[in-house]
Amino acid sequence: MAAYQIGLYEKAMPPRLTWRERMKEAKMAGFDCIELSIDETDERLARLDWSERFRRELGNLAANMGIPFGSICLSGHRKYPLGSGAPEVIARSLAIMEKALVLACDLGIRYIQLAGYDVYYEDSSPDTVRRFGENLAKSVEMAARYGVILGFETMETPFMDTVQKAMSYVDGAASPYLGVYPDLGNLTNASLLYGAPVSDDLRTGAGHIIAAHIKETRPGEYRDVPFGTGHVDFPAVIGTCWELGVRRYVTELWYQGNGTWRDDIRNAADLAHGILNPLSKEV
């Protein structure tokens, strides 16, 4: 049995691929699982209403291909945030949460990554923060009922750009169904803003980090940065995650519409395995 698992963010591959093709490509590149995206687009939000038959077929395909869905990246709350002041948006936000939990159960997924925003397309305020906390509590109750673990992604906005900030909500919930799923690239940028080493921030989440996104960034740039061209000290930050008991990782990168995507995902897998494999042999 492998000592760790590496997942591939679905958006690293061309959207034109079938699920069978995506699973084949991910497995050939050296990944163990795929992270499913439920973002704010109508196309991906519609996945929450996939039929029971399609869910069974997709689950069976993943089992037969030997590369399951390991997690869901749920960023649909950017458009329908938990901290919104509009009752209809809050209702949609909570409906998205419950539907995502049901989908996770149907596909055998145990982890959902939540975007750490109270609101996204409007200004944060004490009221949006309060409503976020209230509706997060409802979400955690739902997660406990379905037996699926939620984890905050550390984002690019001041609301939740560090593990320490995420932990204020995790500690408040005091539930085994809410943890932190940090983005190591975003944390590296936050470390420049606050002057605190990434590894020190990661340690504030000891015992509550359920997985980690391996992503490259540059100062002020949070996405579409090719691996090896940014400033993330992957050996150091992954090493700290390993020290803290983190054994699940997902490489986050995006398909850029060019012909290098196969090389890009293989390079991401090689980077992750190249760091994690030696660490696993030290145990």
Side-chain angles (χ1 to χ4, degrees):
M1 179 184 295
Y4 61 87
Q5 284 206 338
I6 297 291
L8 176 63
Y9 186 46
E10 169 203 339
K11 290 184 179 180
M13 296 178 284
R16 68 177 181 273
L17 298 183
T18 66
W19 281 113
R20 179 181 294 276
E21 290 169 336
R22 292 173 194 169
M23 292 171 186
K24 179 181 178 181
E25 295 287 353
K27 189 170 185 179
M28 288 176 59
F31 292 95
D32 303 298
C33 55
I34 292 175
E35 183 163 85
L36 180 69
S37 169
I38 305 291
D39 63 20
E40 62 188 284
T41 64
D42 291 339
E43 176 188 4
R44 285 193 166 90
L45 285 172
R47 293 173 170 184
L48 297 173
D49 296 309
W50 275 338
S51 68
E52 291 185 13
R53 177 178 177 179
F54 183 78
R55 295 176 192 218
R56 286 195 301 271
E57 291 174 349
L58 190 58
N60 289 338
L61 176 63
N64 292 336
M65 297 288 289
I67 184 157
F69 292 102
S71 52
I72 293 174
C73 179
L74 180 61
S75 56
H77 285 135
R78 293 206 326 174
K79 187 175 181 179
Y80 302 100
L82 292 169
S84 174
E88 65 275 15
V89 174
I90 290 295
R92 181 71 185 274
S93 178
L94 293 173
I96 287 171
M97 187 72 259
E98 184 155 27
K99 286 183 176 183
L101 289 164
V102 173
L103 179 62
C105 290
D106 289 346
L107 294 179
I109 295 170
R110 298 184 295 277
Y111 305 96
I112 295 178
Q113 184 188 62
L114 299 179
Y117 303 117
D118 56 339
V119 289
Y120 186 76
Y121 293 110
E122 59 185 282
D123 292 334
S124 181
S125 70
D127 284 337
T128 62
V129 172
R130 173 182 54 79
R131 287 190 293 266
F132 174 81
E134 292 171 352
N135 292 307
L136 174 65
K138 296 175 183 177
S139 298
V140 175
E141 282 293 317
M142 284 191 277
R145 186 165 71 249
Y146 288 103
V148 177
I149 298 172
L150 308 177
F152 282 125
E153 181 177 15
T154 50
M155 308 307 297
E156 77 285 8
T157 63
F159 178 72
M160 195 180 292
D161 53 0
T162 67
V163 172
Q164 186 174 26
K165 290 178 181 180
M167 282 302 300
S168 67
Y169 288 96
V170 173
D171 288 340
S175 168
Y177 293 97
L178 181 65
V180 188
Y181 186 154
D183 183 305
L184 301 179
N186 292 350
L187 290 183
T188 300
N189 278 354
S191 73
L192 297 180
L193 295 175
Y194 304 122
V198 177
S199 292
D200 288 354
D201 183 51
L202 283 166
R203 290 189 180 96
T204 68
H208 299 280
I209 299 178
I210 64 173
H213 262 177
I214 299 175
K215 187 183 77 178
E216 185 71 278
T217 55
R218 299 189 191 104
E221 295 183 54
Y222 289 84
R223 59 173 293 162
D224 297 331
V225 178
F227 282 99
T229 68
H231 67 149
V232 180
D233 186 346
F234 289 113
V237 294
I238 293 174
T240 300
C241 287
W242 185 270
E243 170 194 328
L244 295 171
V246 181
R247 299 295 183 264
R248 298 180 66 86
Y249 301 82
V250 172
T251 61
E252 186 178 26
L253 62 160
W254 289 267
Y255 171 64
Q256 300 295 310
N258 53 40
T260 66
W261 65 271
R262 285 191 177 90
D263 291 334
D264 294 339
I265 66 174
R266 288 193 185 100
N267 289 341
D270 289 346
L271 180 148
H273 285 301
I275 296 171
L276 287 163
N277 195 43
L279 290 173
S280 69
K281 292 178 180 178
E282 294 175 3
V283 176

